[in-house]
Amino acid sequence: MEIKIVKTVNPKQKTEEDSLIFGVEFTDHMFEMDYTEGVGWHDAVIKPYGPIELMPSAMVLHYAQEVFEGLKAYKTPNGETQLFRPQENFKRMNRSNERMCIPQIDEDFLLKALKALIKIDEDWIPTSTGTSLYLRPFIFATDPFVGVRVSQTYKLMIIMSPVGSYYKGGLAPCKIYVEDEYARTVRGGTGEAKCGGNYAGGLAAQEKVHAKGYEQILWLDGEKRQYIEEVGTSNVFFLIDGVFVTPSLEGTILSGITRKSVIELLKHWGETVVERRITIDEFYELYQQGKVQEAFATGTAAVISPIGTLGWQDKEMTFNHGDIGAYTQKIYDTLYGIQTGHIKDTLNWIVKL
Ligand SMILES: *Cc1c(COP(=O)(O)O)cnc(C)c1O
């Protein structure tokens, strides 16, 4: 399929790199492609970023048939543009599509489209430490019909946002609260799919923990409210007695590409990583025995977030005296170093533009 290109005649003013805020500003162009049952995906176009037309009856607005992805483009010290494991994102998008009854996409074609879009807005990629161009592909149902069924038409878009350093002044430990009232998902639900509905259902919990003075939620499983699952928009790891532990993927947890990369990196270093179910009760017991050495969350937005404090009911757990653990720092430095081209990509994760 050809990609039509319509360039903007009004390039926007760019914000200074040190005042970039996550997800607020978007580049000059976007990618768009439509799907019609019986025809397939068609009309791929890169055009100026701007509003889209949608019927008020568009199905996505009523029943949330939608999926999305998130990845980043980085500038290397010698001015090249590179992506971190983008094929994994499109593979995962197709898994989400399957769960949400959205037609499959051609992963190779989309990577080509993404590269073409980045190329056009390449001068939007910020270069200072901690910055990157956040890429957001998403698909939504567009049938003008207020009834519950699978849509026959869809729109796929990619928009891009220059983002600043997630942590001003380097990595900083965060405060997380263990949610034991609200549930994110259950087995058989949509927890494994990267879809907007999962987030809508989590907002009430997010508001609650913010009011308590915490930044993020640690979700427990929806059935027993016992098994540790993941943190807000990230997966979670603990260093317990010299062994890295992360909850196993049992159908309710989003399979993070950062999670997968951290596991591969740790194994490459000769560390032991165990993917298993772990209850909050067991975790608290290990904590009381002084065995929990480090805790951190993993995701594209922040790469690695050290967890300084974990609140649970009326208890508060602190790891590594509330400071960043040595391993947490080393993992961050290595992953971020590979992503930005400061460290050699020996694991073949990088795709150049
Ligand atoms: C995107 C996401 C993650 C992290 O995935 P990465 O591929 O590492 O960015 C974790 N949990 C949820 C719920 C997510 O949506």
Side-chain angles (χ1 to χ4, degrees):
M1 198 187 340
E2 283 279 309
I3 302 171
K4 192 176 146 194
I5 294 178
V6 184
K7 285 210 180 170
T8 183
V9 287
N10 291 311
K12 289 183 271 193
Q13 186 85 36
K14 298 183 185 67
T15 303
E16 294 289 329
E17 287 194 9
D18 54 6
S19 14
L20 288 171
I21 304 168
F22 187 90
V24 172
E25 192 183 349
F26 297 91
T27 67
D28 281 323
H29 298 87
M30 62 186 187
F31 174 82
E32 201 178 312
M33 175 166 86
D34 292 302
Y35 179 90
T36 308
E37 202 167 275
V39 179
W41 290 103
H42 58 88
D43 288 307
V45 58
I46 290 173
K47 63 185 197 182
Y49 180 88
I52 52 169
E53 267 199 351
L54 208 57
M55 282 298 182
S57 53
M59 287 179 74
V60 64
L61 302 177
H62 305 275
Y63 308 115
Q65 197 190 359
E66 182 265 2
V67 298
F68 69 96
E69 271 303 326
L71 68 165
K72 285 173 168 177
Y74 307 85
K75 271 272 179 235
T76 67
N78 52 19
E80 286 180 295
T81 298
Q82 61 184 34
L83 297 163
F84 185 72
R85 314 187 83 173
Q87 298 96 332
E88 294 286 336
N89 290 89
F90 292 125
K91 242 195 265 170
R92 183 170 67 190
M93 188 174 227
N94 265 338
R95 291 204 303 273
S96 301
N97 285 340
E98 198 175 331
R99 179 63 181 85
M100 304 305 288
C101 302
I102 292 173
Q104 295 284 296
I105 47 147
D106 178 337
E107 296 165 22
D108 294 333
F109 173 75
L110 260 199
L111 181 55
K112 235 176 64 188
L114 177 68
K115 284 178 169 180
L117 178 63
I118 297 169
K119 190 92 204 148
I120 283 184
D121 282 339
E122 205 170 359
D123 60 347
W124 277 88
I125 308 173
T127 53
S128 43
T129 307
T131 61
S132 58
L133 187 65
Y134 184 77
L135 316 167
R136 167 55 60 89
F138 56 108
I139 307 175
F140 53 94
T142 53
D143 272 12
F145 174 59
V146 181
V148 180
R149 61 155 167 78
V150 171
S151 183
Q152 293 165 347
T153 58
Y154 298 86
K155 195 179 276 300
L156 182 155
M157 304 189 72
I158 306 175
I159 56 175
M160 313 195 288
S161 172
V163 296
S165 176
Y166 207 83
Y167 298 106
K168 296 257 173 267
L171 270 194
C174 56
K175 282 186 76 174
I176 290 180
Y177 191 77
V178 181
E179 177 56 54
D180 58 4
E181 178 193 356
Y182 294 109
R184 178 179 172 271
T185 188
V186 290
R187 276 200 215 201
T190 55
E192 216 176 11
K194 209 167 173 76
C195 63
N198 289 341
Y199 282 88
L203 289 174
Q206 191 175 307
E207 288 295 289
K208 190 180 94 176
V209 304
H210 284 175
K212 281 178 182 284
Y214 292 87
E215 291 150 69
Q216 278 284 357
I217 309 154
L218 177 66
W219 291 108
L220 299 178
D221 77 283
E223 282 158 60
K224 300 210 163 67
R225 309 294 157 84
Q226 264 296 314
Y227 294 99
I228 292 174
E229 298 221 311
E230 58 182 311
V231 171
T233 61
S234 324
N235 297 109
V236 70
F237 284 76
F238 306 107
L239 176 58
I240 303 172
D241 225 3
V243 171
F244 289 88
V245 176
T246 189
S248 44
L249 305 175
E250 311 268 346
T252 53
I253 297 174
L254 201 286
S255 171
I257 295 156
T258 321
R259 174 187 183 277
K260 179 176 176 164
S261 306
V262 167
I263 292 172
E264 288 171 20
L265 189 65
L266 287 169
K267 289 188 173 166
H268 182 71
W269 288 344
E271 301 293 339
T272 309
V273 186
V274 180
E275 294 176 67
R276 69 168 175 98
R277 301 192 91 192
I278 179 166
T279 65
I280 187 69
D281 287 337
E282 181 195 349
F283 181 79
Y284 187 64
E285 211 172 293
L286 289 162
Y287 172 77
Q288 283 186 308
Q289 292 164 5
K291 288 184 178 162
V292 182
Q293 298 156 294
E294 296 186 29
F296 57 93
T298 67
T300 296
V303 191
I304 303 290
S305 307
I307 301 173
T309 307
L310 191 60
W312 176 46
Q313 295 168 349
D314 55 354
K315 307 169 193 61
E316 209 158 67
M317 300 171 238
T318 308
F319 312 108
N320 199 48
H321 315 289
D323 279 336
I324 302 160
Y327 269 106
T328 305
Q329 183 74 51
K330 185 180 168 194
I331 295 163
Y332 173 80
D333 290 343
T334 309
L335 267 189
Y336 185 69
I338 294 171
Q339 289 167 340
T340 53
H342 287 85
I343 293 178
K344 205 166 168 250
D345 170 35
T346 52
L347 293 152
N348 262 320
W349 285 340
I350 294 300
V351 171
K352 302 264 186 208
L353 193 63

